[in-house]
């Protein structure tokens, strides 16, 4: 009897184990699916984070490039402002210079007026020297080939002494400030 009891217990244990064995594969499959699901979810989160990181990095690179461009542009503007700071004043002084030149072309025969003309000449030279120090240059015109960037043609003439498209006469002087034309020369051009 003991043996029967023992066999019966063993059979019960075997059935329990079989039930456990039958139940365990389903649990394991569920656990594996959950782990795969978690792994897939983690991979998706990693991919999303990597994509966000890449986007932020690209934005940062563009922002850095924009900042560099802004810095260069403002530096160039400052340099131009410094280089051409006196342009407005020079534009105001050019008509004065023209009037000085016209006044000095008048011939004076009296001795008392001659001293006055010499004083005017000195003031004129000082004014021209001051403008030259600021970088103002006269634009060469008469006898030069016509350049629409430097000359403003107001008349065309036919003169056999000059080649075609050459400046025959300068009607008003033109000036440059450093490399910028601030007033083109008014000229007559040969056809």
């Amino acid at each position: 009897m003991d043996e029967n009891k023992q066999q019966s217990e063993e059979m019960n244990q075997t059935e329990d184990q079989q039930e456990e064995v039958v139940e365990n594969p389903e649990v394991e499959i569920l656990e594996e699916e959950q782990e795969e699901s978690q792994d897939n979810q983690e991979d998706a989160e990693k991919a999303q984070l990597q994509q966000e990181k890449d986007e932020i990095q690209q934005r940062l690179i563009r922002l850095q490039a924009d900042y560099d461009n802004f810095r260069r542009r403002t530096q160039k503007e400052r340099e131009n402002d410094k280089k051409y700071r006196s342009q407005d004043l020079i534009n105001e002084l050019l008509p004065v210079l023209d009037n000085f030149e016209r006044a000095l072309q008048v011939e004076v025969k009296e001795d008392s007026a001659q001293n006055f003309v010499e004083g005017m000449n000195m003031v004129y030279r000082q004014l021209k020297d001051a403008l030259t120090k600021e970088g103002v240059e006269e634009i060469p015109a008469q006898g030069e080939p016509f350049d629409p960037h430097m000359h403003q043609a107001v008349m065309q003439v036919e003169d056999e002494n000059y080649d075609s498209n050459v400046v025959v006469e300068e009607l008003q002087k033109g000036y440059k400030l450093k490399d910028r034309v601030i007033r083109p020369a008014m000229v007559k051009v040969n056809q």
Side-chain angles (χ1 to χ4, degrees):
M1 247 189 49
D2 278 334
E3 276 182 38
N4 281 341
K5 231 183 190 185
Q6 217 177 8
Q7 280 181 352
S8 129
E9 282 179 23
E10 284 178 13
M11 283 176 84
N12 283 341
Q13 282 180 349
T14 308
E15 285 178 13
D16 286 342
Q17 285 177 352
Q18 283 178 354
E19 284 178 17
E20 283 180 21
V21 170
V22 171
E23 288 180 19
N24 281 344
E26 290 176 9
V27 171
E28 286 180 17
I29 291 173
L30 288 176
E31 287 176 359
E32 285 178 9
E33 287 177 1
Q34 286 176 348
E35 286 177 14
E36 284 180 22
S37 174
Q38 286 177 346
D39 288 346
N40 288 342
Q41 196 173 17
E42 287 175 3
D43 289 345
E45 286 177 9
K46 283 180 184 178
Q48 183 181 1
L49 290 173
Q50 183 65 36
Q51 183 180 2
E52 288 176 9
K53 178 188 158 223
D54 292 344
E55 288 174 6
I56 290 171
Q57 195 169 18
Q58 288 300 316
R59 262 193 259 149
L60 179 63
I61 290 170
R62 280 192 298 268
L63 185 62
Q64 182 68 36
D66 287 345
Y67 176 73
D68 288 343
N69 290 339
F70 171 75
R71 192 185 57 198
R72 274 190 238 114
R73 189 172 48 249
T74 56
Q75 183 179 0
K76 187 174 181 178
E77 287 173 0
R78 271 190 249 127
E79 287 172 3
N80 281 342
D81 287 346
K82 187 176 181 182
K83 186 175 182 180
Y84 302 113
R85 73 184 183 286
S86 58
Q87 183 173 349
D88 292 337
L89 177 62
I90 291 167
N91 282 334
E92 295 292 323
L93 289 177
L94 289 180
V96 174
L97 193 63
D98 293 338
N99 289 334
F100 258 116
E101 290 172 354
R102 285 188 206 103
L104 292 174
Q105 289 175 351
V106 174
E107 288 187 34
V108 178
K109 296 184 180 179
E110 295 178 23
D111 288 339
S112 60
Q114 192 66 29
N115 290 336
F116 178 74
V117 171
E118 286 177 23
M120 292 293 285
N121 259 326
M122 287 189 333
V123 173
Y124 172 73
R125 280 194 304 271
Q126 283 180 326
L127 180 59
K128 276 194 86 155
D129 289 345
L131 291 174
T132 301
K133 284 180 185 174
E134 282 297 313
V136 176
E137 303 172 27
E138 287 184 15
I139 296 174
Q142 193 163 347
E144 297 288 321
F146 177 74
D147 180 0
H149 300 291
M150 302 282 195
H151 306 118
Q152 179 181 358
V154 292
M155 294 177 71
Q156 279 191 328
V157 294
E158 288 189 32
D159 191 340
E160 296 172 0
N161 298 329
Y162 292 96
D163 290 336
S164 178
N165 208 27
V166 172
V167 175
V168 175
E169 183 181 345
E170 180 180 56
L171 303 173
Q172 184 182 38
K173 287 185 179 180
Y175 295 94
K176 293 190 308 184
L177 175 60
K178 306 217 187 320
D179 57 350
R180 181 185 287 179
V181 174
I182 55 175
R183 183 174 84 181
M186 291 175 61
V187 295
K188 286 184 186 178
V189 180
N190 195 25
Q191 287 183 333

